Amino acid sequence: MKSLTLTMPLDMHVHLRDGDMLNIVAPLTSYSFSGALVMPNLVPPLTTLEGIKEYRHRIKVAMEADDFEPYMTLFYQNYTREFLESVQNHITAIKIYPSGATTNSEGGVVSFDIEPMRETLEAMSDLGIILAVHGETNGFVMDREAEFMSVYEKLAINFPRLKIIMEHITTAAAVEMLDKYENLYATITVHHLMITLDDVAGGMLRPHLFCKPIAKRPEDRSALLKVALEAHPKVMFGSDSAPHPKHTKESCGCGAGVFTAPIALQLLCEVFDAHKKLDNLQAFVSDNAQRIYGICPDFKEVVLIKHDFVVPEMYGEVVPMMAGETLKWSIERVE
Ligand code: DOR
Ligand code: ZN
């Protein structure tokens, strides 16, 4: 039977939430990943050293595994250099959200004018703290990411020593930026490699595929696939797995988020196998992130086999992507 062994897989963008939800989802990520970059959009968002330390502790308790590292992020505000020096050993990146762009982002920035942010971004450059960006304007929903490219250019030019991660990119426009600026990198989700807007809203509405940024056009998906499948050295896997309770997804006012944590590696195998690029999956799902972030996760090996896996209907109160459907790959064991 066809199999693939992945060493130290990393999910460089995940939402673990808090409380009961954290207890459901943290073990699902820590089972198959060596580490994950944990997003700070809690209510209220993570903006203090104490908050980061306490949240990391709650994750460690919830995840039921010692061989998993939660790489913590701080929610961007215009922090002082002194504060950044005090937190730098406790965080891996700072995540910036435009205010209101997505779930729990109300405390984000209202403008990307450079001057008010200069002190913070200069200090981050000096201290080597990475900036992770939710890159969407408040324009027409299909254009929001492409319109944000001018902001990425402004940031990349003004702060050439700052590593900037374009999170969960969904457009050919974002892919083009990778080779234009040395300090721009990107994460890509597995769902954006698989779906387009047609899958979300082309037929009956599928709320469990609704996320921000929304899936785009076939040509955008092709551009994402190209760089993911070749494991372009500046892209890495970030699931953006974002759990919402079933009743809030299947309702008027459905929240944005696709829950993929427990099926992410299986789906990645399916996508890379379909394009005969399984050899590149290790770089996409771990090596690139280790190099870009300068992290050395604890050893873990995940053995996947080409064997049917029926996706559960629910994990706790969360409906995963492809609930009830049969995947072509499954996790055989984790060592
Ligand atoms: O779809 C999304 N869900 N996109 C985000 O940026 C946030 C996330 C969430 O927290 O639910
Ligand atoms: Zn996210």
Side-chain angles (χ1 to χ4, degrees):
M1 193 177 302
K2 206 163 169 181
S3 78
L4 180 74
T5 300
L6 294 171
T7 49
M8 299 174 291
L10 294 168
D11 179 351
M12 297 313 290
H13 184 134
V14 74
H15 298 269
L16 296 181
R17 313 295 193 214
D18 215 340
D20 293 344
M21 184 65 94
L22 172 66
N23 292 327
I24 294 167
V25 303
L28 300 171
T29 287
S30 65
Y31 171 65
S32 56
F33 290 93
S34 264
L37 192 76
V38 181
M39 291 299 122
N41 60 332
L42 303 182
V43 186
L46 286 173
T47 54
T48 64
L49 177 56
E50 271 315 291
I52 295 277
K53 284 187 187 165
E54 288 166 11
Y55 185 40
R56 183 174 186 279
H57 179 71
R58 293 196 296 281
I59 295 168
K60 281 280 192 186
V61 171
M63 73 192 193
E64 300 168 0
D66 288 331
D67 57 350
F68 176 84
E69 184 61 36
Y71 297 105
M72 305 305 292
T73 62
L74 186 71
F75 192 95
Y76 184 93
Q77 292 180 345
N78 288 331
Y79 295 111
T80 63
R81 180 177 292 261
E82 192 185 10
F83 174 74
L84 293 173
E85 283 170 358
S86 74
V87 291
Q88 66 169 321
N89 293 333
H90 301 270
I91 60 171
T92 302
I94 295 182
K95 175 73 185 285
I96 189 165
Y97 290 91
S99 177
T102 187
T103 311
N104 305 338
S105 64
E106 291 71 22
V109 298
V110 288
S111 134
F112 277 85
D113 285 349
I114 293 293
E115 286 319 314
M117 300 197 292
R118 188 173 289 283
E119 182 191 343
T120 305
L121 296 179
E122 287 287 0
M124 286 174 63
S125 305
D126 294 343
L127 298 170
I129 302 174
I130 289 177
L131 181 71
V133 184
H134 183 111
E136 290 194 283
T137 66
N138 59 5
F140 180 65
V141 68
M142 286 293 279
D143 298 335
R144 285 176 193 172
E145 184 174 293
E147 286 174 1
F148 199 85
M149 293 305 125
S150 58
V151 179
Y152 280 131
E153 300 206 86
K154 194 166 71 171
L155 290 170
I157 291 168
N158 275 276
F159 305 97
R161 292 174 298 119
L162 181 68
K163 273 192 178 172
I164 301 166
I165 318 286
M166 302 184 286
E167 294 295 335
H168 42 52
I169 59 171
T170 60
T171 57
V175 168
E176 273 177 35
M177 299 292 285
L178 287 169
D179 295 323
K180 221 167 149 186
Y181 296 95
E182 206 186 314
N183 54 338
L184 286 184
Y185 303 81
T187 57
I188 301 179
T189 75
V190 71
H191 51 282
H192 289 121
L193 293 176
M194 298 177 68
I195 65 171
T196 67
L197 184 62
D198 251 8
D199 297 287
V200 186
M204 302 269 261
L205 187 67
R206 292 166 73 189
H208 300 291
L209 297 181
F210 171 66
C211 65
K212 296 287 177 65
I214 198 143
K216 305 292 189 310
R217 308 180 67 86
E219 50 271 37
D220 293 304
R221 180 179 57 184
S222 299
L224 299 174
L225 270 169
K226 181 171 182 297
V227 283
L229 292 169
E230 75 185 25
H232 184 296
K234 296 177 85 182
V235 303
M236 28 184 185
F237 176 61
S239 70
D240 199 16
S241 178
H244 292 256
K246 182 177 198 272
H247 72 274
T248 67
K249 289 293 281 180
E250 298 179 5
S251 78
C252 179
C254 159
V258 180
F259 183 60
T260 53
I263 57 166
L265 292 181
Q266 300 89 316
L267 286 179
L268 283 170
C269 280
E270 193 162 325
V271 171
F272 277 63
D273 189 23
H275 291 88
K276 302 198 166 31
K277 294 287 185 193
L278 274 179
D279 286 351
N280 290 344
L281 185 51
Q282 175 63 35
F284 179 65
V285 83
S286 183
D287 303 352
N288 287 357
Q290 289 187 50
R291 195 183 55 253
I292 293 166
Y293 271 93
I295 52 178
C296 293
D298 285 342
F299 188 77
K300 183 182 266 184
E301 252 180 13
V302 182
V303 181
L304 293 116
I305 50 172
K306 196 163 187 178
H307 186 272
D308 286 357
F309 172 69
V310 180
V311 180
E313 294 289 345
M314 303 270 281
Y315 290 89
E317 55 177 346
V318 185
V319 178
M321 182 181 174
M322 300 189 75
E325 293 181 48
T326 302
L327 309 186
K328 295 195 176 73
W329 284 77
S330 53
I331 295 178
E332 196 202 35
R333 60 178 195 278
V334 180
E335 286 166 0

